[in-house]
Amino acid sequence: MTSRNLRALELIKKFGQKSNIYVRSLKLLNQAWNKIDSETKTCTFSAWENLQTQLYGEIQTQLFFVSAYLAWLMRTIRGEIFDVPIRKNGQDDVFSWVWNVPELANQLMEMLRSSIQTLPLEDVKRDLLKDLYEHLVGKDVRVMRGEYNTPDWLAELMLDITMKKHGGLISPRIIDPTCGTGIFLFHAIKQLRQHSIFTKSARIVGTDINPLMIEIAKTNYLLALGKDQLIFGDDSQIPVFCLDTLKLSKKNLRMLGEFDIVIGNPPWGSLRDVKNPDYQKFIKGLAIDARLIEKKDTHLYTQIEVSTVFFINCVRFLKQHGTLAFVMPRSIITPTMQNYNFIRVQRLGSRFVEILDLGNVIPLFNMPTCVLISEKNGEQTYPIKMVEYYGTLPSTSSTLTKTKPYLTSKETQYTPRRFPLGKKSYYYDLFKTGVCIFPRAFYFITPIQIHKKLIEAKTSHEILARFTKEPWKISLNGWIEPKFVYHTLLGWEVLPYIFADFRLVVLPIEKDGERFCLLGIEDMYKKNYSAVAKWFETVDKIWRERRTPSSENRFPSIFDRFNYGNLLKHQSPTRRFVVAYNATGSNIASCIVDRQELTSPKNDVLEPNDFIADVKTWIYETNNYDEALYLCGILNSDTINKMIKPFQPRGLGGARAIHRRPLMFDIPRFDEFDWIHQKIAELASYNMKAMIERRFNGSRKRTKEHLPHNDEINSSVKKLLRC
């Protein structure tokens, strides 16, 4: 073999989706699949389906042959380059079924073997197999799974820092409990070999729940170790194990033992992103047991950050004085409600000692990132060391040596911010979110024609094109009774004091005195609303066919999804003024909807019915216009916008969530006899008129800068909140 360095593009060109080897391999795999008996097919694919459901909550059949191809390629590399025997037992995993057709299995292996012989795999500098995996699996699938693969330079940096903390050890024991493609294992072995301190015992260990990742990680393990250091007689001796870190038995815990360094990049995402309902329930239980969240905080369950559960769980691997370092979303070090306990409560004798803030390094991940480091010794104290990194990198796939010239750093200190501990607003429990008008394609409509007291309508083209994703990109067309057409606002259409325009939605509700009443399909037919009943029959059928397994249990019908949490009860047709503000976004904006002065969107001929708030807005209803102005003025003030900033999680575009944060501050109940309250209401009225007359365009923040009484409102709100 030559001594040149292998590059990722060369590997992808040779084995990627456009390569002859890939095409021929998938053809052989399909031929083998078609030749095996039906019982073996059923058992094999059932095992694959169970694995997919357990891991991701849904079945990705398109990856069945791709995964088998990758697994066979990895095993062939281990067999050809490192003489590690390839297993032939078709019952031991989901990839060995090809051996049921020996002639095709041998053809596949020989083809892969001959293609590998020309590759310079003796001195690979970084995790190239990660690049091949990302190419074959695709970004959308990886993001859905919560996989954010670590760049080589970051893995090297984290190992540098953690190994220095254990410089006195001859050879530290290291584990990556969510090892993925094995990038931390690869670089840990490389670094220890570089210093000639890698021993021949299983000092570096990896685990992962995904058997395909185990195949890749084992191969990376050998590539880092090198043929001259090979110490494994067969595949099973490579210390990379297919285990669920969160569900380890006592036997497996004893087998793995304790470690000096626990390092890795656990799965990211909110609990709502975990598609398997049983696994979702299991993680929620772990979060409650670890006091990451309180049982009573049901509104925060779906927002639990899964990586924090992994972090807490993996502390148990540490020896006394051991170090844990995980790549985490940066939101965990901001005082978000769902992460507040994680950063403040001590865990199993461990304490946070250092943070690497990577929020200003681009490109990296699709959200701001940090590395959180803890040690198993002593009591938690603050402040702790934080190193802020800055830089625009030419590539995410470089080594640390090539990346360092593009990075600068600054050492600071970190103390977690506390939530406002004073009195919450009188309105804290009175503002509510709107109903869940989702999937959007089911509800948002454009009228086509009116005929004999019925409206022909179709799914809004704009909603379908801009705000709908698969599997909900569905265009509906049908007739409905006009009384079921309502007005709503999307969160981003709420501007300071005004709104962009109404949207028309068809909703399964009707007015009933002081409330809106949800109607099922049977109710609609009983009341002779057969047109809208047929519309929602179609909608409910599509919902049942395409919903996730988790939604199947939580939302048996589309009506359960629409009125999740019984939020409809908080809206009333008898309360005239609706104060609304956006639930998400960088900057808060608030407007007032007057139910008695609804206008049809874009000069539509359809008569206005009523207003229903969407889940992306928070609302408070009142019959007191001055109270509405008072709240609108406060919520649009720069004062309140700045006060919530430290408590907002951040995405790549900056702060990104608002929700109840403005109401954590002591906004008092409106008092018509209080001169500050009246002044804020009066100034808000002037600003509203200015917005209506001038129709300012641009961002919410820039719009406020042009308002004539903005400074006066800010001053009044500061006095009101005594800040």
Side-chain angles (χ1 to χ4, degrees):
M1 290 187 186
T2 62
S3 60
R4 66 185 177 85
N5 291 330
L6 181 65
R7 296 181 180 274
L9 288 178
E10 183 181 354
L11 196 67
I12 291 171
K13 184 177 180 180
K14 195 168 190 69
F15 297 106
Q17 291 175 343
K18 294 183 179 180
S19 69
N20 288 331
I21 293 169
Y22 175 85
V23 173
R24 290 165 60 195
S25 295
L26 259 66
K27 184 177 179 180
L28 285 172
L29 288 167
N30 272 281
Q31 288 175 351
W33 182 252
N34 290 331
K35 285 191 174 185
I36 63 177
D37 61 86
S38 57
E39 184 179 351
T40 303
K41 271 186 182 179
T42 301
C43 291
T44 300
F45 201 74
S46 176
W48 171 257
E49 285 182 327
N50 290 338
L51 173 67
Q52 292 287 298
T53 302
Q54 180 186 356
L55 289 174
Y56 314 118
E58 55 188 62
I59 300 163
Q60 298 162 314
T61 54
Q62 77 275 18
L63 295 179
F64 179 69
F65 291 113
V66 175
S67 298
Y69 164 70
L70 257 176
W72 272 68
L73 178 60
M74 295 302 107
R75 291 177 183 181
T76 307
I77 291 174
R78 298 200 296 274
E80 177 65 17
I81 306 300
F82 301 101
D83 299 321
V84 176
I86 298 175
R87 290 172 286 167
K88 295 188 178 183
N89 183 352
Q91 303 299 317
D92 63 352
D93 60 57
V94 293
F95 304 124
S96 292
W97 54 268
V98 189
W99 284 114
N100 286 278
V101 189
E103 68 276 13
L104 292 178
N106 286 319
Q107 281 186 51
L108 176 63
M109 192 166 55
E110 285 302 317
M111 181 180 64
L112 293 174
R113 181 179 292 151
S114 62
S115 66
I116 288 165
Q117 289 174 349
T118 59
L119 291 177
L121 292 169
E122 290 183 326
D123 188 24
V124 178
K125 302 296 185 185
R126 65 179 194 83
D127 181 3
L128 301 180
L129 301 182
K130 165 174 64 75
D131 297 52
L132 180 61
Y133 168 78
E134 290 178 349
H135 164 77
L136 290 173
V137 172
K139 182 179 179 180
D140 290 345
V141 172
R142 288 185 285 108
V143 171
M144 183 274 293
R145 293 175 172 181
E147 295 175 1
Y148 295 89
N149 293 326
T150 314
D152 289 81
W153 69 264
L154 182 54
E156 291 180 79
L157 177 64
M158 291 169 63
L159 283 161
D160 278 352
I161 292 170
T162 53
M163 284 188 181
K164 283 177 183 176
K165 294 179 183 292
H166 298 272
L169 296 175
I170 296 175
S171 179
R173 290 204 77 215
I174 301 171
I175 186 172
D176 181 349
T178 57
C179 68
T181 61
I183 190 167
F184 286 97
L185 310 180
F186 178 89
H187 286 292
I189 294 170
K190 284 279 189 182
Q191 289 194 21
L192 291 174
R193 283 194 64 194
Q194 189 177 4
H195 294 90
S196 301
I197 57 174
F198 186 77
T199 64
K200 292 192 175 184
S201 58
R203 307 292 293 179
I204 298 178
V205 178
T207 66
D208 201 282
I209 193 174
N210 188 338
L212 177 58
M213 292 301 188
I214 297 301
E215 297 293 339
I216 301 172
K218 282 187 174 184
T219 308
N220 260 326
Y221 200 107
L222 298 188
L223 289 173
L225 192 61
K227 193 170 183 178
D228 59 324
Q229 296 288 320
L230 191 62
I231 54 177
F232 306 114
D234 63 61
D235 204 58
S236 64
Q237 293 180 16
I238 303 171
V240 183
F241 307 104
C242 193
L243 297 169
D244 183 348
T245 300
L246 299 182
K247 290 185 174 182
L248 290 177
S249 65
K250 290 181 179 179
K251 179 182 177 181
N252 284 330
L253 279 170
R254 285 195 300 271
M255 180 268 292
L256 292 171
E258 292 183 326
F259 295 84
D260 303 294
I261 296 172
V262 179
I263 195 165
N265 183 354
W268 297 6
S270 302
L271 188 63
R272 62 175 172 269
D273 299 321
V274 178
K275 303 301 181 183
N276 185 313
D278 294 331
Y279 206 61
Q280 189 181 76
K281 184 178 180 181
F282 171 69
I283 292 176
K284 182 179 74 175
L286 291 180
I288 292 171
D289 291 344
R291 292 167 53 212
L292 288 174
I293 200 166
E294 303 297 330
K295 266 189 176 181
K296 61 182 177 62
D297 295 328
T298 55
H299 63 291
L300 295 178
Y301 283 173
T302 61
Q303 301 173 50
I304 295 169
E305 172 52 56
V306 173
S307 62
T308 62
V309 178
F310 275 88
F311 192 104
I312 299 305
N313 192 268
C314 291
V315 170
R316 59 184 170 163
F317 289 121
L318 287 176
K319 293 180 179 179
Q320 191 65 23
H321 304 293
T323 302
L324 190 157
F326 270 2
V327 184
M328 306 280 279
R330 193 183 181 279
S331 60
I332 61 104
I333 62 172
T334 60
T336 53
M337 295 176 186
Q338 65 272 23
N339 295 329
Y340 186 69
N341 284 353
F342 169 71
I343 204 69
R344 298 203 66 87
V345 179
Q346 191 168 2
R347 310 294 174 189
L348 301 176
S350 73
R351 61 189 180 94
F352 301 117
V353 294
E354 186 173 348
I355 296 170
L356 312 183
D357 185 352
L358 304 168
N360 293 300
V361 177
I362 55 173
L364 191 49
F365 300 107
N366 68 349
M367 65 178 70
T369 308
C370 72
V371 173
L372 191 58
I373 303 172
S374 73
E375 291 181 357
K376 195 171 184 179
N377 61 21
E379 296 291 324
Q380 184 67 62
T381 59
Y382 288 104
I384 61 173
K385 177 182 176 182
M386 182 160 77
V387 182
E388 297 176 354
Y389 286 86
Y390 302 84
T392 301
L393 311 182
S395 169
T396 58
S397 302
S398 296
T399 61
L400 183 58
T401 301
K402 291 182 178 179
T403 301
K404 271 185 175 179
Y406 299 95
L407 288 174
T408 59
S409 63
K410 179 178 71 174
E411 186 172 324
T412 61
Q413 290 187 321
Y414 171 82
T415 299
R417 289 180 178 268
R418 291 182 176 272
F419 276 114
L421 298 178
K423 184 180 177 183
K424 291 184 175 67
S425 171
Y426 163 80
Y427 296 96
Y428 186 84
D429 291 318
L430 298 180
F431 270 85
K432 303 291 183 181
T433 57
V435 291
C436 191
I437 310 178
F438 177 87
R440 302 293 194 196
F442 290 174
Y443 302 101
F444 285 77
I445 61 168
T446 299
I448 300 172
Q449 63 172 318
I450 300 176
H451 180 68
K452 293 184 178 179
K453 298 182 180 181
L454 291 177
I455 301 169
E456 184 183 8
K458 64 179 180 180
T459 300
S460 164
H461 175 74
E462 183 185 6
I463 290 292
L464 203 59
R466 295 180 58 191
F467 306 111
T468 310
K469 297 179 180 179
E470 295 294 351
W472 308 115
K473 270 191 174 292
I474 303 160
S475 185
L476 301 174
N477 189 301
W479 293 89
I480 50 181
E481 288 82 4
K483 70 176 297 178
F484 293 97
V485 178
Y486 291 83
H487 292 59
T488 196
L489 291 172
L490 295 174
W492 63 269
E493 293 171 321
V494 177
L495 304 174
Y497 299 102
I498 63 171
F499 45 85
D501 205 350
F502 286 120
R503 302 261 177 184
L504 292 182
V505 285
V506 53
L507 302 177
I509 61 176
E510 68 174 352
K511 297 179 189 178
D512 183 15
E514 295 185 355
R515 65 190 183 112
F516 293 101
C517 181
L518 180 68
L519 297 182
I521 292 170
E522 288 186 13
D523 300 321
M524 295 172 187
Y525 275 120
K526 285 179 181 178
K527 296 190 174 192
N528 294 319
Y529 301 134
S530 58
V532 79
K534 290 176 183 176
W535 178 282
F536 280 103
E537 275 182 332
T538 301
V539 162
D540 194 46
K541 182 174 182 291
I542 297 170
W543 170 255
R544 292 172 188 271
E545 290 171 350
R546 303 192 182 194
R547 65 193 173 189
T548 63
S550 175
S551 293
E552 184 176 350
N553 293 330
R554 296 173 65 202
F555 312 117
S557 75
I558 191 62
F559 305 100
D560 300 305
R561 183 73 177 97
F562 171 76
N563 197 28
Y564 175 58
N566 200 22
L567 290 169
L568 185 62
K569 71 179 182 182
H570 300 301
Q571 302 191 47
S572 171
T574 62
R575 292 193 285 269
R576 177 175 175 178
F577 303 106
V578 182
V579 181
Y581 70 84
N582 51 309
T584 59
S586 295
N587 299 297
I588 187 172
S590 177
C591 67
I592 299 173
V593 175
D594 184 349
R595 281 199 161 96
Q596 292 185 15
E597 295 186 8
L598 295 177
T599 57
S600 294
K602 299 175 183 176
N603 299 315
D604 198 278
V605 296
L606 191 65
E607 284 295 319
N609 185 13
D610 212 315
F611 176 81
I612 293 291
D614 175 65
V615 71
K616 292 298 183 181
T617 56
W618 283 77
I619 63 162
Y620 170 74
E621 298 174 322
T622 179
N623 284 315
N624 187 330
Y625 186 54
D626 285 343
E627 182 184 28
L629 286 169
Y630 161 78
L631 289 170
C632 194
I634 294 170
L635 294 170
N636 280 315
S637 69
D638 294 330
T639 303
I640 205 75
N641 196 42
K642 289 175 182 177
M643 290 172 75
I644 67 173
K645 281 288 174 282
F647 307 102
Q648 289 180 270
R650 300 182 67 82
L652 291 179
R656 60 180 183 176
I658 296 168
H659 298 293
R660 271 183 170 165
R661 288 172 178 82
L663 307 170
M664 294 190 303
F665 302 96
D666 187 16
I667 301 172
R669 183 179 186 180
F670 177 68
D671 181 353
E672 61 182 332
F673 299 108
D674 188 301
W675 70 272
I676 294 182
H677 295 206
Q678 283 290 359
K679 184 178 181 181
I680 292 172
E682 183 179 4
L683 293 171
S685 178
Y686 293 149
N687 276 347
M688 184 183 296
K689 288 176 183 176
M691 284 292 291
I692 293 170
E693 290 170 2
R694 302 179 194 181
R695 291 304 285 193
F696 287 115
N697 292 316
S699 72
R700 290 163 174 150
K701 187 175 181 181
R702 287 197 297 269
T703 297
K704 291 178 185 178
E705 293 171 357
H706 296 286
L707 292 172
H709 300 282
N710 202 43
D711 291 341
E712 292 175 82
I713 281 190
N714 290 333
S715 176
S716 298
V717 173
K718 284 180 181 178
K719 290 178 183 176
L720 179 74
L721 300 180
R722 296 180 293 280
C723 61

